[in-house]
Amino acid sequence: MINDYYLLIGLLLFSLTSSIALEMMALPRIIYIAKKKGLYDIPNGRKSHITPVPRLAGITFLPILMLVFSICSLIIIKQSPIETVTIFGTALRKMVGFVAGSIVLAGIGIKDDLVGSRYSHKMLAQFIAACLLVSGGLYINDFNGLFGINEVPAWFGVPFTILLTVFITNAMNLIDGADGLASGIAGVALISLGTMFFIRSMFFYSLICVILVGILIPFFYYNVFNTNRKVFMGDTGSLSLGFLLAYLGIRFAMNIPSSYGTVDSPALISLSALFIPLFDALRVMIERAIKGKSMFMPDRRHLHHKLLDLGLSHRKVMINIVFWAQSLVIFNIMMVHIVNINLVFLFDIALWFGLIQLLNALKKKQKTRFALFF
Protein backbone atom coordinates (compact mmCIF):
# COMPACT_ATOMS: atom_id res chain seq x y z
CA MET A 1 0.00 0.00 0.00
CA ILE A 2 1.20 3.50 -0.79
CA ASN A 3 1.38 5.44 2.45
CA ASP A 4 1.52 8.95 1.01
CA TYR A 5 -2.16 9.65 0.28
CA TYR A 6 -1.32 13.05 -1.17
CA LEU A 7 0.76 11.24 -3.80
CA LEU A 8 -2.12 8.82 -4.32
CA ILE A 9 -4.72 11.50 -4.92
CA GLY A 10 -2.31 13.52 -7.04
CA LEU A 11 -1.60 10.54 -9.30
CA LEU A 12 -5.29 9.75 -9.66
CA LEU A 13 -6.05 13.35 -10.65
CA PHE A 14 -3.06 13.44 -12.99
CA SER A 15 -4.05 10.17 -14.65
CA LEU A 16 -7.66 11.30 -15.10
CA THR A 17 -6.86 14.72 -16.57
CA SER A 18 -4.00 13.52 -18.77
CA SER A 19 -6.02 10.62 -20.23
CA ILE A 20 -8.93 12.99 -20.96
CA ALA A 21 -6.57 15.47 -22.63
CA LEU A 22 -4.81 12.82 -24.74
CA GLU A 23 -8.09 11.30 -25.91
CA MET A 24 -9.48 14.74 -26.73
CA MET A 25 -6.41 15.40 -28.88
CA ALA A 26 -6.48 11.98 -30.55
CA LEU A 27 -10.17 11.63 -31.46
CA PRO A 28 -10.45 14.57 -33.93
CA ARG A 29 -7.43 13.22 -35.78
CA ILE A 30 -8.87 9.70 -35.84
CA ILE A 31 -12.16 11.05 -37.22
CA TYR A 32 -10.29 13.02 -39.89
CA ILE A 33 -8.28 9.97 -41.00
CA ALA A 34 -11.38 7.72 -41.01
CA LYS A 35 -13.28 10.19 -43.20
CA LYS A 36 -10.27 10.74 -45.46
CA LYS A 37 -9.82 6.99 -46.05
CA GLY A 38 -13.53 6.13 -46.07
CA LEU A 39 -13.31 3.94 -42.96
CA TYR A 40 -16.96 3.94 -41.97
CA ASP A 41 -19.37 1.66 -40.17
CA ILE A 42 -21.94 1.10 -42.92
CA PRO A 43 -25.63 0.80 -41.92
CA ASN A 44 -27.48 -2.45 -42.57
CA GLY A 45 -30.72 -4.15 -41.53
CA ARG A 46 -29.38 -5.17 -38.12
CA LYS A 47 -27.69 -1.88 -37.17
CA SER A 48 -29.47 1.11 -35.69
CA HIS A 49 -27.68 4.04 -37.34
CA ILE A 50 -28.81 5.23 -40.78
CA THR A 51 -25.71 7.08 -42.02
CA PRO A 52 -22.07 5.90 -42.26
CA VAL A 53 -20.05 6.70 -39.10
CA PRO A 54 -16.24 6.59 -38.57
CA ARG A 55 -15.37 3.58 -36.42
CA LEU A 56 -11.72 3.75 -35.38
CA ALA A 57 -11.87 5.47 -31.97
CA GLY A 58 -10.96 2.23 -30.17
CA ILE A 59 -7.41 2.21 -31.51
CA THR A 60 -6.59 5.01 -29.05
CA PHE A 61 -7.66 3.13 -25.91
CA LEU A 62 -4.69 0.83 -25.29
CA PRO A 63 -1.86 3.25 -26.30
CA ILE A 64 -3.19 6.03 -24.05
CA LEU A 65 -3.73 3.61 -21.17
CA MET A 66 -0.18 2.29 -21.46
CA LEU A 67 1.35 5.77 -21.82
CA VAL A 68 -0.39 7.34 -18.81
CA PHE A 69 0.05 4.22 -16.68
CA SER A 70 3.77 4.02 -17.50
CA ILE A 71 4.30 7.66 -16.50
CA CYS A 72 2.45 7.10 -13.20
CA SER A 73 4.51 3.95 -12.58
CA LEU A 74 7.74 5.87 -13.04
CA ILE A 75 6.55 8.52 -10.57
CA ILE A 76 5.67 5.84 -8.00
CA ILE A 77 9.05 4.13 -8.41
CA LYS A 78 10.88 7.44 -7.95
CA GLN A 79 8.79 8.86 -5.09
CA SER A 80 7.73 5.84 -3.01
CA PRO A 81 9.53 3.69 -0.42
CA ILE A 82 10.94 0.30 -1.38
CA GLU A 83 7.99 -1.57 0.21
CA THR A 84 5.54 0.16 -2.09
CA VAL A 85 7.72 -0.47 -5.15
CA THR A 86 7.86 -4.17 -4.22
CA ILE A 87 4.05 -4.43 -4.01
CA PHE A 88 3.70 -2.49 -7.25
CA GLY A 89 6.22 -4.77 -8.94
CA THR A 90 4.24 -7.85 -7.92
CA ALA A 91 1.11 -6.38 -9.50
CA LEU A 92 3.07 -5.43 -12.63
CA ARG A 93 4.12 -9.06 -13.10
CA LYS A 94 0.47 -10.07 -13.24
CA MET A 95 -0.08 -7.36 -15.84
CA VAL A 96 2.36 -8.81 -18.40
CA GLY A 97 -0.12 -11.41 -19.62
CA PHE A 98 -2.82 -8.75 -19.86
CA VAL A 99 -0.63 -6.49 -22.01
CA ALA A 100 0.28 -9.36 -24.34
CA GLY A 101 -3.36 -10.39 -24.67
CA SER A 102 -4.45 -6.80 -25.28
CA ILE A 103 -2.00 -6.48 -28.17
CA VAL A 104 -3.41 -9.66 -29.76
CA LEU A 105 -6.98 -8.35 -29.47
CA ALA A 106 -6.04 -4.87 -30.70
CA GLY A 107 -4.47 -6.49 -33.76
CA ILE A 108 -7.54 -8.53 -34.70
CA GLY A 109 -9.80 -5.57 -33.88
CA ILE A 110 -7.90 -3.22 -36.19
CA LYS A 111 -8.02 -5.84 -38.96
CA ASP A 112 -11.78 -6.22 -38.50
CA ASP A 113 -12.37 -2.46 -38.50
CA LEU A 114 -10.26 -1.94 -41.64
CA VAL A 115 -11.01 -4.92 -43.88
CA GLY A 116 -13.26 -7.24 -41.88
CA SER A 117 -12.45 -10.47 -40.07
CA ARG A 118 -14.14 -13.85 -39.70
CA TYR A 119 -15.89 -14.50 -36.42
CA SER A 120 -13.85 -17.68 -35.97
CA HIS A 121 -10.64 -15.64 -36.24
CA LYS A 122 -11.88 -13.19 -33.60
CA MET A 123 -12.81 -16.07 -31.29
CA LEU A 124 -9.36 -17.61 -31.73
CA ALA A 125 -7.72 -14.27 -30.92
CA GLN A 126 -9.87 -13.94 -27.79
CA PHE A 127 -8.92 -17.45 -26.68
CA ILE A 128 -5.20 -16.73 -27.18
CA ALA A 129 -5.55 -13.45 -25.27
CA ALA A 130 -7.33 -15.22 -22.40
CA CYS A 131 -4.58 -17.85 -22.21
CA LEU A 132 -1.96 -15.10 -22.08
CA LEU A 133 -3.92 -13.39 -19.30
CA VAL A 134 -3.94 -16.43 -16.99
CA SER A 135 -0.28 -17.17 -17.80
CA GLY A 136 0.54 -14.19 -15.58
CA GLY A 137 -0.95 -15.99 -12.57
CA LEU A 138 -4.35 -14.34 -12.80
CA TYR A 139 -7.31 -16.66 -12.31
CA ILE A 140 -10.40 -16.92 -10.12
CA ASN A 141 -9.37 -18.93 -7.07
CA ASP A 142 -12.33 -18.29 -4.77
CA PHE A 143 -16.10 -17.94 -5.27
CA ASN A 144 -16.53 -16.53 -1.74
CA GLY A 145 -19.50 -18.82 -1.09
CA LEU A 146 -21.31 -18.08 -4.37
CA PHE A 147 -23.09 -21.31 -5.43
CA GLY A 148 -21.86 -22.73 -2.12
CA ILE A 149 -18.25 -22.74 -3.38
CA ASN A 150 -15.29 -21.12 -1.70
CA GLU A 151 -11.70 -22.00 -2.61
CA VAL A 152 -11.28 -23.08 -6.24
CA PRO A 153 -8.36 -25.34 -7.29
CA ALA A 154 -6.15 -24.23 -10.17
CA TRP A 155 -7.15 -27.19 -12.38
CA PHE A 156 -10.68 -25.77 -12.46
CA GLY A 157 -9.99 -22.06 -11.90
CA VAL A 158 -7.59 -21.61 -14.82
CA PRO A 159 -9.78 -23.06 -17.62
CA PHE A 160 -12.86 -21.44 -16.07
CA THR A 161 -11.12 -18.05 -16.12
CA ILE A 162 -10.09 -18.52 -19.76
CA LEU A 163 -13.69 -19.25 -20.79
CA LEU A 164 -15.02 -16.41 -18.63
CA THR A 165 -12.54 -13.95 -20.15
CA VAL A 166 -13.61 -14.91 -23.67
CA PHE A 167 -17.27 -14.58 -22.65
CA ILE A 168 -16.83 -11.14 -21.04
CA THR A 169 -14.86 -9.87 -24.03
CA ASN A 170 -17.60 -11.10 -26.38
CA ALA A 171 -20.40 -9.73 -24.21
CA MET A 172 -18.99 -6.19 -24.35
CA ASN A 173 -18.52 -6.51 -28.09
CA LEU A 174 -22.15 -7.63 -28.53
CA ILE A 175 -23.72 -4.91 -26.37
CA ASP A 176 -22.04 -2.15 -28.38
CA GLY A 177 -25.23 -1.49 -30.35
CA ALA A 178 -26.53 1.89 -29.17
CA ASP A 179 -24.81 5.24 -28.78
CA GLY A 180 -22.91 5.44 -25.50
CA LEU A 181 -24.09 2.03 -24.30
CA ALA A 182 -20.84 0.06 -24.20
CA SER A 183 -18.85 3.02 -22.87
CA GLY A 184 -21.61 3.85 -20.36
CA ILE A 185 -21.78 0.32 -18.95
CA ALA A 186 -17.98 0.16 -18.93
CA GLY A 187 -17.92 3.46 -17.04
CA VAL A 188 -20.28 2.07 -14.39
CA ALA A 189 -18.11 -1.04 -14.01
CA LEU A 190 -14.86 0.96 -13.89
CA ILE A 191 -16.11 3.47 -11.32
CA SER A 192 -17.53 0.66 -9.15
CA LEU A 193 -14.45 -1.55 -9.37
CA GLY A 194 -12.06 1.39 -9.07
CA THR A 195 -13.76 2.52 -5.85
CA MET A 196 -13.71 -0.98 -4.39
CA PHE A 197 -10.08 -1.49 -5.39
CA PHE A 198 -9.25 1.74 -3.57
CA ILE A 199 -11.13 0.53 -0.47
CA ARG A 200 -9.04 -2.64 -0.59
CA SER A 201 -5.83 -0.55 -0.86
CA MET A 202 -5.16 -1.97 -4.34
CA PHE A 203 -4.10 1.35 -5.83
CA PHE A 204 -2.46 -0.27 -8.88
CA TYR A 205 -5.85 -1.34 -10.21
CA SER A 206 -7.67 1.82 -9.13
CA LEU A 207 -5.20 3.72 -11.28
CA ILE A 208 -6.05 1.62 -14.34
CA CYS A 209 -9.77 2.19 -13.74
CA VAL A 210 -9.33 5.97 -13.46
CA ILE A 211 -7.23 6.14 -16.64
CA LEU A 212 -9.87 4.18 -18.55
CA VAL A 213 -12.64 6.43 -17.26
CA GLY A 214 -10.62 9.42 -18.48
CA ILE A 215 -10.27 7.81 -21.92
CA LEU A 216 -13.99 7.02 -22.15
CA ILE A 217 -15.23 10.51 -21.20
CA PRO A 218 -14.19 12.21 -24.50
CA PHE A 219 -15.26 9.18 -26.50
CA PHE A 220 -18.68 9.24 -24.82
CA TYR A 221 -19.04 12.91 -25.73
CA TYR A 222 -18.21 12.35 -29.39
CA ASN A 223 -20.29 9.17 -29.62
CA VAL A 224 -23.43 10.54 -27.94
CA PHE A 225 -23.49 14.34 -28.16
CA ASN A 226 -21.29 15.47 -31.05
CA THR A 227 -23.62 14.74 -33.97
CA ASN A 228 -21.39 16.47 -36.54
CA ARG A 229 -18.28 14.46 -35.59
CA LYS A 230 -19.82 11.24 -34.35
CA VAL A 231 -17.50 8.26 -33.98
CA PHE A 232 -17.79 4.58 -33.00
CA MET A 233 -15.21 2.66 -30.99
CA GLY A 234 -15.31 -0.24 -33.47
CA ASP A 235 -14.30 -3.81 -32.71
CA THR A 236 -10.85 -2.60 -31.66
CA GLY A 237 -12.45 -0.59 -28.88
CA SER A 238 -15.15 -3.05 -27.77
CA LEU A 239 -12.78 -6.04 -27.73
CA SER A 240 -10.08 -4.08 -25.88
CA LEU A 241 -12.63 -2.70 -23.42
CA GLY A 242 -14.15 -6.12 -22.80
CA PHE A 243 -10.74 -7.65 -22.18
CA LEU A 244 -9.79 -4.81 -19.82
CA LEU A 245 -12.99 -5.32 -17.81
CA ALA A 246 -12.39 -9.06 -17.70
CA TYR A 247 -8.88 -8.45 -16.36
CA LEU A 248 -10.08 -6.03 -13.68
CA GLY A 249 -13.15 -8.06 -12.70
CA ILE A 250 -11.19 -11.30 -12.38
CA ARG A 251 -8.46 -9.60 -10.37
CA PHE A 252 -11.04 -8.11 -8.00
CA ALA A 253 -12.72 -11.51 -7.59
CA MET A 254 -9.43 -13.23 -6.69
CA ASN A 255 -8.75 -14.12 -3.08
CA ILE A 256 -6.02 -11.78 -1.84
CA PRO A 257 -3.75 -11.65 1.23
CA SER A 258 -5.33 -10.54 4.52
CA SER A 259 -3.06 -7.50 4.56
CA TYR A 260 -5.40 -5.91 2.06
CA GLY A 261 -8.70 -4.38 3.06
CA THR A 262 -11.65 -6.78 3.16
CA VAL A 263 -14.75 -6.62 1.02
CA ASP A 264 -17.71 -8.96 1.36
CA SER A 265 -18.07 -11.30 -1.62
CA PRO A 266 -15.78 -9.70 -4.22
CA ALA A 267 -16.85 -12.43 -6.69
CA LEU A 268 -20.49 -11.28 -6.60
CA ILE A 269 -19.54 -7.60 -6.78
CA SER A 270 -17.39 -8.26 -9.86
CA LEU A 271 -20.29 -10.15 -11.41
CA SER A 272 -22.67 -7.30 -10.55
CA ALA A 273 -20.54 -4.75 -12.40
CA LEU A 274 -20.85 -6.77 -15.63
CA PHE A 275 -24.21 -8.44 -14.99
CA ILE A 276 -26.23 -6.87 -17.82
CA PRO A 277 -23.83 -7.51 -20.75
CA LEU A 278 -23.01 -11.02 -19.48
CA PHE A 279 -26.55 -12.20 -18.89
CA ASP A 280 -27.88 -10.48 -21.99
CA ALA A 281 -25.32 -12.34 -24.11
CA LEU A 282 -26.11 -15.62 -22.30
CA ARG A 283 -29.87 -15.17 -22.78
CA VAL A 284 -29.51 -14.42 -26.49
CA MET A 285 -27.26 -17.46 -27.05
CA ILE A 286 -29.76 -19.73 -25.26
CA GLU A 287 -32.71 -18.32 -27.24
CA ARG A 288 -30.85 -18.88 -30.52
CA ALA A 289 -29.97 -22.46 -29.54
CA ILE A 290 -33.60 -23.21 -28.59
CA LYS A 291 -34.76 -21.99 -32.02
CA GLY A 292 -32.15 -24.16 -33.73
CA LYS A 293 -30.00 -21.25 -34.87
CA SER A 294 -26.29 -20.67 -34.45
CA MET A 295 -25.55 -19.14 -31.06
CA PHE A 296 -23.17 -16.70 -32.76
CA MET A 297 -25.44 -15.60 -35.63
CA PRO A 298 -26.10 -11.82 -35.39
CA ASP A 299 -29.72 -10.77 -34.92
CA ARG A 300 -31.83 -8.22 -33.00
CA ARG A 301 -32.49 -10.14 -29.78
CA HIS A 302 -30.29 -8.09 -27.43
CA LEU A 303 -31.67 -5.87 -24.68
CA HIS A 304 -30.85 -2.65 -26.51
CA HIS A 305 -32.59 -3.95 -29.65
CA LYS A 306 -35.75 -4.64 -27.63
CA LEU A 307 -35.77 -1.10 -26.28
CA LEU A 308 -35.03 0.43 -29.69
CA ASP A 309 -37.85 -1.60 -31.24
CA LEU A 310 -40.21 -0.18 -28.63
CA GLY A 311 -39.48 3.27 -30.03
CA LEU A 312 -36.92 4.56 -27.52
CA SER A 313 -34.13 6.75 -28.86
CA HIS A 314 -30.50 5.69 -28.61
CA ARG A 315 -29.96 8.13 -25.77
CA LYS A 316 -32.96 6.88 -23.78
CA VAL A 317 -31.88 3.26 -24.31
CA MET A 318 -28.40 4.10 -23.04
CA ILE A 319 -29.67 6.05 -20.03
CA ASN A 320 -32.07 3.27 -19.01
CA ILE A 321 -29.58 0.42 -19.29
CA VAL A 322 -26.74 2.33 -17.62
CA PHE A 323 -29.10 3.33 -14.79
CA TRP A 324 -30.14 -0.32 -14.32
CA ALA A 325 -26.51 -1.43 -14.30
CA GLN A 326 -25.49 1.13 -11.66
CA SER A 327 -28.57 0.40 -9.52
CA LEU A 328 -27.78 -3.31 -9.53
CA VAL A 329 -24.20 -2.71 -8.38
CA ILE A 330 -25.32 -0.41 -5.54
CA PHE A 331 -28.07 -2.85 -4.50
CA ASN A 332 -25.70 -5.83 -4.40
CA ILE A 333 -23.00 -3.96 -2.48
CA MET A 334 -25.60 -3.01 0.15
CA MET A 335 -27.22 -6.45 0.34
CA VAL A 336 -24.13 -8.67 0.60
CA HIS A 337 -23.57 -7.31 4.11
CA ILE A 338 -26.96 -8.48 5.38
CA VAL A 339 -28.21 -11.29 3.09
CA ASN A 340 -26.69 -14.56 1.88
CA ILE A 341 -24.98 -13.84 -1.43
CA ASN A 342 -26.78 -16.73 -3.17
CA LEU A 343 -30.13 -15.15 -2.30
CA VAL A 344 -28.86 -11.82 -3.65
CA PHE A 345 -27.78 -13.52 -6.86
CA LEU A 346 -31.15 -15.29 -7.23
CA PHE A 347 -32.89 -11.95 -6.76
CA ASP A 348 -30.70 -10.45 -9.51
CA ILE A 349 -31.70 -13.28 -11.84
CA ALA A 350 -35.39 -12.83 -10.98
CA LEU A 351 -35.20 -9.09 -11.69
CA TRP A 352 -33.46 -9.75 -14.99
CA PHE A 353 -36.00 -12.40 -16.04
CA GLY A 354 -38.87 -10.10 -15.07
CA LEU A 355 -37.43 -7.22 -17.10
CA ILE A 356 -37.07 -9.35 -20.24
CA GLN A 357 -40.60 -10.71 -19.89
CA LEU A 358 -41.95 -7.17 -19.45
CA LEU A 359 -40.19 -5.97 -22.61
CA ASN A 360 -41.45 -9.00 -24.55
CA ALA A 361 -45.00 -8.29 -23.37
CA LEU A 362 -44.73 -4.62 -24.37
CA LYS A 363 -43.43 -5.59 -27.79
CA LYS A 364 -46.27 -8.09 -28.27
CA LYS A 365 -48.82 -5.47 -27.21
CA GLN A 366 -47.27 -2.98 -29.63
CA LYS A 367 -47.57 -5.47 -32.51
CA THR A 368 -51.19 -6.24 -31.58
CA ARG A 369 -52.09 -2.53 -31.66
CA PHE A 370 -50.40 -2.15 -35.03
CA ALA A 371 -52.33 -5.13 -36.46
CA LEU A 372 -55.66 -3.79 -35.16
CA PHE A 373 -54.97 -0.36 -36.61
CA PHE A 374 -54.61 -1.81 -40.11
Side-chain angles (χ1 to χ4, degrees):
M1 177 180 177
I2 301 175
N3 294 316
D4 190 346
Y5 282 93
Y6 290 107
L7 176 61
L8 272 181
I9 301 302
L11 281 174
L12 290 175
L13 291 174
F14 168 78
S15 63
L16 179 65
T17 54
S18 57
S19 56
I20 290 174
L22 289 169
E23 186 71 4
M24 285 295 290
M25 288 188 291
L27 279 181
R29 289 159 176 79
I30 293 296
I31 294 169
Y32 173 79
I33 292 170
K35 289 182 176 180
K36 189 81 172 177
K37 301 297 183 181
L39 303 173
Y40 293 104
D41 191 295
I42 305 300
N44 58 35
R46 192 177 63 86
K47 295 179 180 179
S48 304
H49 59 288
I50 58 176
T51 58
V53 178
R55 61 182 179 190
L56 290 177
I59 67 173
T60 64
F61 292 179
L62 186 62
I64 291 176
L65 170 64
M66 291 294 100
L67 174 60
V68 178
F69 183 81
S70 298
I71 294 171
C72 291
S73 299
L74 289 172
I75 294 172
I76 289 173
I77 291 171
K78 291 290 186 180
Q79 299 295 325
S80 300
I82 189 64
E83 296 82 5
T84 295
V85 175
T86 301
I87 294 173
F88 207 71
T90 303
L92 277 173
R93 283 194 292 273
K94 281 187 168 57
M95 194 179 182
V96 174
F98 156 73
V99 173
S102 295
I103 293 172
V104 171
L105 285 182
I108 194 68
I110 291 171
K111 179 179 182 293
D112 188 62
D113 288 334
L114 294 177
V115 297
S117 180
R118 292 181 181 179
Y119 193 79
S120 58
H121 293 173
K122 289 196 286 186
M123 287 295 293
L124 177 61
Q126 291 172 50
F127 180 77
I128 293 171
C131 290
L132 290 169
L133 182 68
V134 300
S135 69
L138 191 80
Y139 71 93
I140 294 179
N141 58 5
D142 200 322
F143 278 14
N144 316 122
L146 190 62
F147 312 121
I149 303 171
N150 287 294
E151 187 175 351
V152 176
W155 63 264
F156 176 82
V158 170
F160 174 75
T161 302
I162 291 173
L163 294 176
L164 182 62
T165 300
V166 172
F167 188 57
I168 293 173
T169 305
N170 254 295
M172 288 302 299
N173 183 236
L174 293 173
I175 207 167
D176 185 26
D179 295 343
L181 183 54
S183 54
I185 288 179
V188 167
L190 290 167
I191 292 170
S192 303
L193 290 172
T195 303
M196 301 306 288
F197 275 129
F198 194 84
I199 291 172
R200 294 175 91 180
S201 301
M202 300 173 73
F203 175 72
F204 176 93
Y205 302 98
S206 291
L207 184 61
I208 295 175
C209 291
V210 170
I211 295 170
L212 286 169
V213 169
I215 291 170
L216 289 178
I217 288 172
F219 169 77
F220 187 84
Y221 166 73
Y222 275 89
N223 183 232
V224 177
F225 299 106
N226 197 329
T227 55
N228 294 326
R229 306 180 78 183
K230 191 180 191 67
V231 66
F232 291 160
M233 66 173 67
D235 269 22
T236 310
S238 59
L239 290 174
S240 298
L241 201 56
F243 190 63
L244 281 159
L245 291 171
Y247 164 67
L248 293 166
I250 290 166
R251 182 64 190 94
F252 186 77
M254 284 184 71
N255 189 22
I256 55 176
S258 58
S259 58
Y260 289 121
T262 58
V263 175
D264 289 342
S265 190
L268 180 62
I269 293 173
S270 286
L271 181 63
S272 302
L274 300 169
F275 185 93
I276 288 181
L278 291 182
F279 279 82
D280 189 50
L282 181 62
R283 174 189 59 81
V284 170
M285 291 171 66
I286 292 173
E287 286 182 4
R288 290 170 182 164
I290 291 173
K291 292 185 177 295
K293 298 181 179 180
S294 169
M295 290 191 295
F296 306 105
M297 183 65 66
D299 55 26
R300 290 183 62 85
R301 297 178 184 271
H302 289 282
L303 176 61
H304 56 276
H305 290 137
K306 291 180 179 292
L307 292 171
L308 288 169
D309 290 343
L310 286 173
L312 273 68
S313 66
H314 276 244
R315 193 171 300 180
K316 288 181 179 178
V317 169
M318 178 270 294
I319 291 172
N320 274 280
I321 297 178
V322 170
F323 174 76
W324 296 338
Q326 184 62 77
S327 298
L328 187 67
V329 173
I330 294 172
F331 172 80
N332 283 0
I333 290 174
M334 292 173 59
M335 294 305 292
V336 293
H337 295 284
I338 55 178
V339 180
N340 181 278
I341 62 171
N342 291 290
L343 293 177
V344 176
F345 181 66
L346 286 174
F347 186 74
D348 293 345
I349 297 294
L351 280 176
W352 175 251
F353 182 77
L355 173 64
I356 297 301
Q357 293 306 307
L358 174 62
L359 294 178
N360 288 338
L362 290 172
K363 182 63 177 177
K364 185 176 180 180
K365 186 176 181 180
Q366 186 182 64
K367 287 183 177 179
T368 302
R369 286 181 176 177
F370 182 81
L372 290 172
F373 181 78
F374 286 96

